[in-house]
Amino acid sequence: SRLMDLPSCELQRLGEIADLVTSVRLSRVRKKKLALALKNEGYIPKLLELFQACESAKNTEGLHLLFDIMRGILYLDKAILFEVMFSDECILGVVGCLEYDPCLAQPGWHREFLTKTAKLQEIIPIRDPELRQKIRQTSRALYIQAIITPNLSDFEEGFLSTLNSFISSSKEEILRGLQKDEEFLPEVFAQLTNEATAGEQRCELMKFFKEFCAFSFTLSEKRNEFLQTLAKLRFLPTLEILMGMDDLQVRSAATDILSYLVEFSPATVHEFVLQEARQNENDTQLITEVIKQIICSPDPGFGGDNQLMKILCALIDPEKLLAKASNLEIFEFLNIFYDRYIHVLTAPLLADTSEEWYEIGWQYIIYFFVELKTVIFLVDNFQRAEILASVLELLSFCVERHKYHMKHYIINKDLLRRTLVLMKSKHKFLALSALRFMRRIIGLKDELYNHYITLGNLFEPVVNAVLDNRNGCNLLKSASMELFEFIRVKDIQFLIAHIVENFSDALESVKYIHTFQGLKTKYEQEKDRQNEKLN
């Protein structure tokens, strides 16, 4: 069909051009016709000539119209125009037009950013000039995407989908080009692990490699090929080394990369973990490194330890390990985990609930041994509480997923008694974490656990917490009451008898008497049944 007629590209017709570009937005056919006309008539370079004339003459009205026109052309979302607009000849003119947004009091600084600030930094030299040009073009496209993307809720679904596809395909092309270069990735790995590499250089390399991995893993058709390349380069042992470095940015990037691996290729990581577990004890074990990062986290509340906790849970989850190992191999792995790794995780908990804490003003030092090496932590009170809460969350996960192994560990180490000491903490979230740990154990309704709890009189700290909060209304009291209500509803007679016989009088003063009255009723009913049997 016939192409759209365009107004002549003249200064006095800018308003007419702006109206035309805006008017086609809701018609797919008209958008396509306009894009073809703009391309065929070389219209964009002509508009950029007008822009230079308006800027030289300080024609504010013309510059505002050119902003609307250039943004409208980008909103056409046509790949044939992107090739022109993102080219070396046009890019600065295009972003120059986008500086003159009528809604802004002062023009933007897009050209200065692209020419002075956003310089292509080749951490590892890129030998292919076409690839270098593609990288430059893609970075420009990403910048323009960032400055023109409005609040997407105001637009139809799939808005700027072609621009997004253009950027994605450009990234794929860059990835293919880098992977074809057989020297590129090995050089990256060599510099990352080389002690002579400067700290800033290593940080930049990690930022690059993190982005490289993030995009590579999202390409499902190329993922296996990429993983094979990483395996040849002994990627996971390298990641272990990087996670153990002092530089926080390097460690953070290494953690992000491990997180991508666990998400997109858990079998690869599980296979590596199982292999390491079968070997003799090693100074750099991936699981040990992850645990040490959790319990040494400089700011647990910032969120880094949450990511590490998810990674650790994925690595030790028997259900996920089944994808790469038999039941026997998983049992063997858990034996090794509880023999070699669990003490690293529980070290701060066992230290804090014993006499191994030494107060120094507002700070504390924990001494404990990790694989024949002394690890020293200097943490303040609140930070220590956050670390302990993270440890308890992980141990609660183990209670549910490692029933056999965790049960023996808890009983042998008297871990629940040590944990319930934390219910006296001034940090209520830590006291709640300790209570949740006990709740998770009781939720299993395991006879051995129940005997352990009653023999150790481990309900006493919980009852004391209820009595201390009897006149208040808070989460700790509510969680305690829920624990007793669970025991009543599930009719766990062994625990009911213990609670009623030992704490009945003390709990009479609590407002929510119906829960404890219900426990007494259950206790008496069971007593009557037992008497009837005896009779």
Side-chain angles (χ1 to χ4, degrees), residues 364-379:
Y364 295 82
I365 298 178
I366 308 170
Y367 294 94
F368 61 91
F369 290 93
V370 178
E371 295 185 348
L372 305 180
K373 293 179 289 187
T374 304
V375 178
I376 301 176
F377 293 98
L378 191 63
V379 291

Side-chain angles (χ1 to χ4, degrees), residues 106-163:
Q106 295 292 329
W109 298 87
H110 303 317
R111 283 172 289 181
E112 184 175 346
F113 178 82
L114 285 179
T115 53
K116 295 180 181 177
T117 309
K119 299 238 174 170
L120 180 61
Q121 184 179 0
E122 292 188 36
I123 304 165
I124 302 291
I126 296 168
R127 300 166 184 85
D128 186 347
E130 290 184 11
L131 183 59
R132 194 184 298 112
Q133 176 60 24
K134 176 56 72 173
I135 292 171
R136 190 177 289 110
Q137 185 190 58
T138 307
S139 68
R140 293 166 179 169
L142 283 164
Y143 183 72
I144 287 180
Q145 182 191 43
I147 62 177
I148 69 164
T149 302
N151 182 356
L152 293 181
S153 61
D154 298 337
F155 288 77
E156 67 276 7
E157 188 178 350
F159 180 69
L160 293 180
S161 59
T162 305
L163 177 58

